[in-house]
Amino acid sequence: MIKLKLKFKITVCLVTLLLFGVTSYVYLVNEANGEKLIMSSAKLPLFLSQCVEETAIQPLDTDGKLNVSVWNIYKQQRSSWNPVLTELVKSSELVLLQEAKLSTGLKNFLQENDHQVLMAKAFKVFKTPIGVMNLAKVAAESACAYQAIEPWIRFAKSALVSKYPLSNGETLLVVNLHGINFAWRLKAYRQQFSLLAEQIKAHQGPVIMAGDFNTWRQGRVDMIGEFTKQLGMTEAKYVIDKRNRVFGLALDHLYYSGLDLIEAHATPTQASDHNPIQASFSLIKKN
């Protein structure tokens, strides 16, 4: 009888600890994900709301040319991130970052560089937001933040859908996203892209969709191919293609429509676990 009581007490304790652990994890995830917020600022980052609008006047391109960089910056975990990002900002009108961690170091970088900042928070770690970020030489006309929840770990991935004026009178729609990672089935992954595809379908004008798509299996690659074909988008062809791969499949992508691609390349760096994509475009002249 004593042994049975002891076993019962042990079982109750284990169940209690398990429930407490699950409850704590759910609380931490909810606290980390929080609201779907967007940050918009020329200098000091400040989170405002899920969508923002500005009176944008200056075109994003330079005399009909547009340089775009795409980089998963790996939460700035490697010390050499600053000089690499500095070079990308200098050579690009638009830099699209994934896994940007709004640390003191990145805040200082943003204040020292004269670029407009947009950020869509995915989640927070010790009150520090992490998500996707746009660095542009001009302000966006509008931007909205979107979140998609990882099915297993429940932490969020984020995306930014923003619009920038161009010198030919058109408006460029830019989708900067970090794709859901920890899910074998395609349901959540498809839902994330379906929401963004609706924004692209509704837009009249050129489009760039880029980021870390986490296309580590063929089913994901095929699904993205279906979406982009329906949207009339083309994937960049790389002169040098050193994009990071898992199972032989590239994780990072840049798709576009309504622009002429001049050149694209992805060269190695030790500053992140992803190599940046750099692409040059020219605007299509309107009659």
Side-chain angles (χ1 to χ4, degrees):
M1 181 63 71
I2 294 175
K3 287 184 178 181
L4 287 174
K5 287 183 177 180
L6 182 59
K7 287 183 178 179
F8 177 75
K9 287 181 179 180
I10 291 173
T11 302
V12 170
C13 288
L14 290 174
V15 171
T16 302
L17 287 171
L18 178 61
L19 291 174
F20 177 77
V22 171
T23 302
S24 299
Y25 181 75
V26 170
Y27 172 79
L28 289 172
V29 168
N30 289 336
E31 179 67 18
N33 289 344
E35 297 180 44
K36 303 173 185 177
L37 296 180
I38 189 170
M39 174 195 82
S40 176
S41 174
K43 287 292 184 181
L44 185 64
L46 174 67
F47 284 97
L48 299 176
S49 62
Q50 186 168 340
C51 290
V52 294
E53 292 188 3
E54 303 281 350
T55 305
I57 301 174
Q58 298 297 321
L60 179 63
D61 61 283
T62 302
D63 299 325
K65 297 294 188 294
L66 178 62
N67 297 312
V68 179
S69 295
V70 184
W71 191 29
N72 182 321
I73 199 170
Y74 194 44
K75 307 180 187 72
Q76 303 97 253
Q77 293 183 67
R78 297 183 180 173
S79 58
S80 54
W81 68 267
N82 192 307
V84 174
L85 184 56
T86 298
E87 183 57 35
L88 293 180
V89 166
K90 284 182 179 179
S91 61
S92 307
E93 281 82 18
L94 178 64
V95 178
L96 308 179
L97 300 177
Q98 300 82 50
E99 288 194 33
K101 183 178 181 180
L102 201 57
S103 60
T104 300
L106 185 55
K107 285 182 180 179
N108 291 338
F109 178 92
L110 298 177
Q111 292 184 41
E112 292 166 3
N113 288 270
D114 188 24
H115 270 61
Q116 299 284 331
V117 182
L118 289 170
M119 181 177 183
K121 177 179 69 66
F123 57 90
K124 294 181 292 183
V125 173
F126 300 115
K127 298 184 179 180
T128 302
I130 297 172
V132 299
M133 177 181 288
N134 292 9
L135 303 179
K137 73 167 194 174
V138 301
E141 291 180 352
S142 64
C144 287
Y146 296 89
Q147 280 187 346
I149 305 299
E150 290 275 6
W152 289 101
I153 64 173
R154 305 308 298 169
F155 280 87
K157 289 291 194 297
S158 61
L160 263 173
V161 178
S162 49
K163 294 182 179 181
Y164 294 92
L166 298 174
S167 61
N168 63 356
E170 293 187 309
T171 299
L172 173 69
L173 181 74
V174 178
V175 180
N176 178 5
L177 70 103
H178 193 188
I180 283 175
N181 192 17
F182 301 101
W184 178 259
R185 294 183 178 180
L186 295 174
K187 181 179 179 181
Y189 194 67
R190 185 180 295 277
Q191 288 175 342
Q192 181 185 22
F193 277 87
S194 294
L195 178 62
L196 300 173
E198 290 302 314
Q199 310 305 312
I200 296 173
K201 288 178 183 177
H203 178 68
Q204 298 294 319
V207 178
I208 288 175
M209 180 174 71
D212 177 2
F213 288 18
N214 275 314
T215 41
W216 44 260
R217 81 176 182 95
Q218 191 61 46
R220 290 177 170 229
V221 175
D222 294 341
M223 196 209 79
I224 298 299
E226 292 173 9
F227 268 111
T228 52
K229 183 178 180 180
Q230 292 172 5
L231 296 168
M233 303 188 73
T234 302
E235 182 162 19
K237 298 294 188 295
Y238 302 96
V239 177
I240 300 172
D241 189 358
K242 297 297 184 181
R243 290 177 296 164
N244 293 73
R245 285 172 163 76
V246 173
F247 306 124
L249 301 172
L251 302 179
D252 305 297
H253 300 271
L254 191 158
Y255 288 87
Y256 66 96
S257 63
L259 298 166
D260 286 330
L261 177 66
I262 300 172
E263 183 183 281
H265 60 269
T267 53
T269 180
Q270 297 300 315
S272 170
D273 62 344
H274 286 247
N275 295 325
I277 292 172
Q278 293 176 272
S280 297
F281 297 94
S282 61
L283 306 191
I284 296 176
K285 293 182 179 180
K286 311 304 291 183
N287 295 328

